[in-house]
């Protein structure tokens, strides 16, 4: 598409004049009959006009498709993170204990973890438009159920329906972009997608805090509902099919193993995090089920799931094709992305706790203090995409990973008397570093596999993001809790102990970030790939 457009634009066209007049002049000078030349040139001019028209129409269609998908994805991902700040209000209004209210977040994450691996199959089996309509319909219905929920059970059901639609949107967006955007422009487009991945989770708690400061918790869903319905209507009218589906069987055993594997891992990580929180709040509490048991079940099921996919992918029938990992660049990019997601989600969890418990800021003040970082990340992401298209990933990722590491090392020295503006500066610097990581990593990872595996690679990216986010939360909270308890036991005040716990969490992030710095040197801009992930030779 792009090459044809460029060739037609570089040649003469009826609009620029010479193409239509030159044949007659040449024919007259040569003294030959103009009849054979005339129709040939006219046909070429007509073909050129048709080519330009077709390409312009295709490019306009692609812009509409991607624009609607980006807006829709931003809405659904934003919804994923607005619940955390609202949980205390919900617990009070619904008359439920904290452990029960936590399921509004846990159930959402579990559903995402179970559905995302299946999206690789869905995007191979069905066309773009029906998949989008299904995803946004589910999200809209779930939002309506949540807004009207009379009690906890119905609210939880609404959140689960929301999560089902949310899980489909990001892989659909990334697969569509990789399918219709030429490699030379993917960095810029992935920069726009990075806004969805990074900014939506960052500003979600802020928006939630602003809403809850003046309105009831239902308004978190009431405000989102008309936006979701509008996106559904506009998308169903304007989005065209841009992929070619193929018939393939659904392996039920893979679906079951996937549910136990990724659901078990997410639930197990969440259970470990809740156990750490309970230990901090109550000095240790017994649980009916060991918090590590779901994690073990998830690990065993994951091993069986991988074994099953390796067997099925020989016939191109895998639910989640793991041949994506044959690309070294994809594997390194995914690992580095996992570390980055751990850092982002860990900081999203620990920073508000530090700001409120140690620096004694109000929830709304905390949300507003963290808002500039999210906005900076959103502004920087498209700019980073353009730099990627021009320079490739390495000149961006290496300094960005170093900046993230420096920020965590700086935060590891925070105390109960650290000025809040220093934390604000650190969070903005961290956001800039993450913005310069996400776009190159996404583009490099997805561009390193052959087109037939785009949907599976997108599903793997989404799954890794969920697991890394959960792991980062558990790791940061666990380290913070352990150090806080140790300092409290030694006689430190609540504020001093909280500051020490935050330092321990940030020190953990600083140590992990060193691995990201080392891995950053090995990420390369991918060549076009064909066949069995072999690069095209130019």
């Amino acid at each position: 598409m792009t090459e044809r457009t460029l060739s037609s634009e570089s040649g003469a066209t009826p609009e620029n004049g010479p193409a239509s007049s030159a044949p007659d002049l040449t024919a007259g000078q040569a003294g030959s009959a103009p009849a054979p030349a005339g129709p040939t040139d006219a046909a070429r001019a007509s073909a050129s006009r048709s080519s330009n028209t077709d390409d312009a129409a295709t490019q306009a269609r692609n812009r509409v498709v991607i624009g609607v998908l980006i807006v829709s994805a931003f809405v659904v991902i934003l919804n994923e993170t607005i619940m955390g700040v609202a949980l205390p209000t919900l617990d009070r209004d619904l008359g439920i204990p904290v452990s029960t209210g936590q399921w509004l977040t846990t159930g959402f994450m579990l559903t995402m973890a179970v559905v995302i691996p299946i999206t690789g199959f869905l995007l191979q089996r069905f066309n773009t438009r029906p998949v989008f309509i299904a995803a946004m319909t589910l999200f809209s219905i779930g939002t309506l159920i949540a807004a009207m929920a009379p009690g906890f059970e119905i609210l939880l059901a609404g959140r689960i329906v929301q999560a089902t639609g949310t899980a489909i949107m990001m892989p659909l967006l990334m697969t569509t972009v990789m399918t219709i955007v030429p490699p030379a422009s993917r960095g810029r487009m992935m920069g726009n997608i990075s806004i969805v991945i990074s900014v939506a989770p960052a500003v979600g708690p802020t928006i939630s805090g602003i809403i809850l400061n003046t309105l009831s918790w239902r308004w978190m869903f009431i405000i989102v509902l008309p936006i979701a319905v509008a996106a559904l209507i506009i998308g169903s009218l304007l989005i065209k099919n841009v992929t070619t589906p193929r018939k393939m069987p659904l392996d039920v055993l893979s679906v079951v193993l996937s549910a136990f594997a990724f659901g078990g891992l997410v639930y197990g990580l969440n259970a470990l995090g809740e156990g750490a929180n309970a230990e901090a709040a109550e000095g240790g509490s017994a649980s009916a089920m060991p918090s590590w048991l779901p994690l073990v079940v998830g690990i065993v099921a994951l091993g069986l799931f991988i074994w099953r996919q390796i067997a099925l992918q020989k016939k191109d029938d895998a639910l989640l094709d793991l041949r994506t990992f044959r690309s070294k660049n994809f594997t390194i990019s995914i690992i580095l992305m996992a570390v980055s997601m751990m850092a982002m989600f860990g900081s999203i969890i620990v920073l508000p706790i530090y700001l409120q418990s140690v620096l004694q800021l109000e929830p709304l003040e905390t949300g507003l203090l963290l808002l500039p970082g999210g906005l900076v990340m959103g502004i920087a992401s498209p700019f980073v995409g353009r730099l990627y298209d021009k320079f490739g990933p390495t000149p961006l990722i290496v300094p960005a990973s170093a900046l993230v590491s420096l920020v965590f090392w700086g935060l590891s020295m925070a105390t109960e008397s650290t000025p809040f503006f220093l934390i604000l500066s650190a969070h903005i610097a961290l956001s800039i570093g993450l913005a310069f990581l996400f776009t190159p990593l996404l583009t490099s990872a997805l561009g390193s596999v052959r087109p037939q595996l785009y949907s599976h690679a997108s599903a793997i990216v989404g799954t890794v993001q969920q697991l890394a986010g959960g792991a980062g939360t558990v790791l940061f909270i666990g380290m913070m809790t352990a150090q806080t308890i140790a300092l409290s036991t030694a006689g430190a005040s609540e504020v001093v102990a909280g500051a020490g716990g935050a330092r321990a969490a940030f020190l953990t992030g600083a140590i992990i970030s060193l691995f990201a710095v080392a891995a950053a040197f090995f990420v390369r801009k991918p060549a076009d790939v064909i066949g069995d992930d072999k690069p095209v030779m130019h």
Side-chain angles (χ1 to χ4, degrees):
M1 178 186 71
T2 304
E3 292 175 357
R4 186 175 60 190
T5 304
L6 291 175
S7 62
S8 63
E9 290 176 352
S10 62
T13 63
E15 288 75 14
N16 56 27
S20 58
S21 58
D24 293 334
L25 178 62
T26 305
Q29 290 173 339
S32 57
T40 302
D41 289 341
R44 288 173 179 171
S46 176
S48 177
R49 288 196 299 269
S50 176
S51 174
N52 287 334
T53 302
D54 291 344
D55 285 343
T58 300
Q59 291 170 6
R61 179 205 67 180
N62 291 346
R63 286 194 295 268
V64 170
V65 170
I66 294 174
V68 173
L69 288 177
I70 286 177
V71 172
S72 303
F74 186 88
V75 172
V76 300
I77 298 297
L78 177 69
N79 173 80
E80 182 180 357
T81 59
I82 63 174
M83 189 58 63
V85 177
L87 286 180
T89 302
L90 283 163
D91 295 340
R92 183 177 62 253
D93 289 356
L94 298 177
I96 55 177
V98 175
S99 58
T100 301
Q102 186 65 35
W103 271 98
L104 295 170
T105 299
T106 304
F108 195 100
M109 294 176 61
L110 277 174
T111 305
M112 291 274 288
V114 171
V115 176
I116 285 178
I118 304 175
T119 58
F121 165 82
L122 294 176
L123 297 176
Q124 290 262 325
R125 181 65 180 83
F126 301 102
N127 242 318
T128 309
R129 186 170 177 269
V131 172
F132 169 82
I133 291 174
M136 289 307 296
T137 299
L138 285 168
F139 179 79
S140 299
I141 292 174
T143 304
L144 178 62
I145 293 172
M148 300 177 62
F152 169 76
E153 291 79 7
I154 303 300
L155 179 57
L156 177 60
R159 288 285 289 172
I160 290 174
V161 177
Q162 275 187 326
T164 305
T166 301
I168 299 172
M169 278 306 304
M170 280 307 300
L172 173 62
L173 172 58
M174 288 188 286
T175 300
T176 302
V177 166
M178 294 301 298
T179 301
I180 66 179
V181 176
S185 303
R186 284 176 184 165
R188 181 181 47 155
M189 196 57 64
M190 284 296 175
N192 296 330
I193 294 179
S194 294
I195 298 176
V196 176
I197 294 176
S198 56
V199 178
V203 303
T206 303
I207 294 175
S208 179
I210 293 173
I211 293 174
L212 293 174
N213 196 49
T214 55
L215 302 169
S216 75
W217 59 266
R218 294 183 187 276
W219 282 93
M220 293 191 303
F221 304 106
I222 294 173
I223 292 174
V224 168
L225 181 58
I227 302 174
V229 172
L232 170 60
I233 295 173
I234 294 172
S236 61
L237 293 175
L238 299 181
I239 284 184
K240 306 297 182 183
N241 295 321
V242 296
T243 58
T244 304
R246 68 183 183 91
K247 291 185 177 181
M248 55 187 300
L250 177 64
D251 185 62
V252 178
L253 178 58
S254 293
V255 175
V256 174
L257 289 174
S258 170
F260 277 98
F262 300 108
L265 289 173
V266 169
Y267 181 78
L269 290 170
N270 187 74
L272 288 176
E274 287 185 356
N277 284 330
E279 187 177 359
E282 305 169 14
S285 59
S287 175
M289 179 178 62
S291 58
W292 50 264
L293 183 59
L295 202 59
V296 172
V297 171
I299 293 173
V300 173
L302 179 62
L304 295 173
F305 177 78
I306 293 173
W307 170 78
R308 181 68 175 169
Q309 301 319 294
I310 292 175
L312 289 175
Q313 66 192 24
K314 296 176 182 177
K315 302 180 293 181
D316 285 334
D317 290 338
L319 181 71
L320 191 64
D321 201 315
L322 302 180
R323 284 177 290 186
T324 53
F325 288 102
R326 290 181 180 177
S327 166
K328 178 182 176 182
N329 206 50
F330 177 84
T331 303
I332 295 175
S333 298
I334 286 294
I335 293 173
L336 192 49
M337 186 179 297
V339 174
S340 302
M341 292 301 294
M342 289 176 65
M344 187 179 81
F345 276 89
S347 62
I348 286 175
I349 292 296
V350 172
L351 270 176
I353 295 175
Y354 169 78
L355 291 171
Q356 294 179 55
S357 300
V358 179
L359 298 188
Q360 305 296 308
L361 297 183
E362 294 295 325
L364 181 58
E365 293 173 327
T366 300
L368 292 175
L369 187 141
L370 298 178
L371 181 59
L375 296 178
V376 167
M377 196 180 297
I379 294 171
S381 293
F383 175 70
V384 174
R386 293 184 179 90
L387 291 177
Y388 173 91
D389 290 334
K390 187 174 182 179
F391 300 108
T394 309
L396 306 177
I397 293 175
V398 171
S401 60
L403 176 60
V404 169
S405 183
L406 286 173
V407 171
F408 273 108
W409 284 108
L411 289 173
S412 67
M413 295 183 284
T415 67
E416 63 277 7
S417 59
T418 299
F420 75 89
F421 67 84
L422 289 181
I423 303 300
L424 171 63
S425 301
H427 184 249
I428 291 175
L430 178 64
S431 300
I432 293 173
L434 291 174
F436 274 77
L437 284 174
F438 285 131
T439 297
L441 290 176
L442 266 177
T443 313
S444 297
L446 296 177
S448 298
V449 302
R450 67 180 191 266
Q452 295 89 335
L453 296 178
Y454 283 160
S455 61
H456 295 283
S458 300
I460 290 172
V461 168
T463 303
V464 166
Q465 288 172 350
Q466 290 295 310
L467 294 176
T473 300
V474 168
L475 184 61
F476 277 55
I477 290 293
M479 295 303 297
M480 182 178 69
T481 300
Q483 182 66 5
T484 300
I485 292 175
L487 292 174
S488 297
T489 304
S493 67
E494 182 179 347
V495 172
V496 172
R503 285 196 300 273
F506 292 130
L507 179 60
T508 303
I511 295 172
I512 293 175
S513 69
L514 295 178
F515 294 96
V517 174
F521 288 92
F522 297 95
V523 178
R524 297 289 182 267
K525 188 172 186 177
D528 296 339
V529 291
I530 59 174
D532 195 15
D533 296 340
K534 297 295 189 293
V536 177
M537 303 304 294
H538 298 289

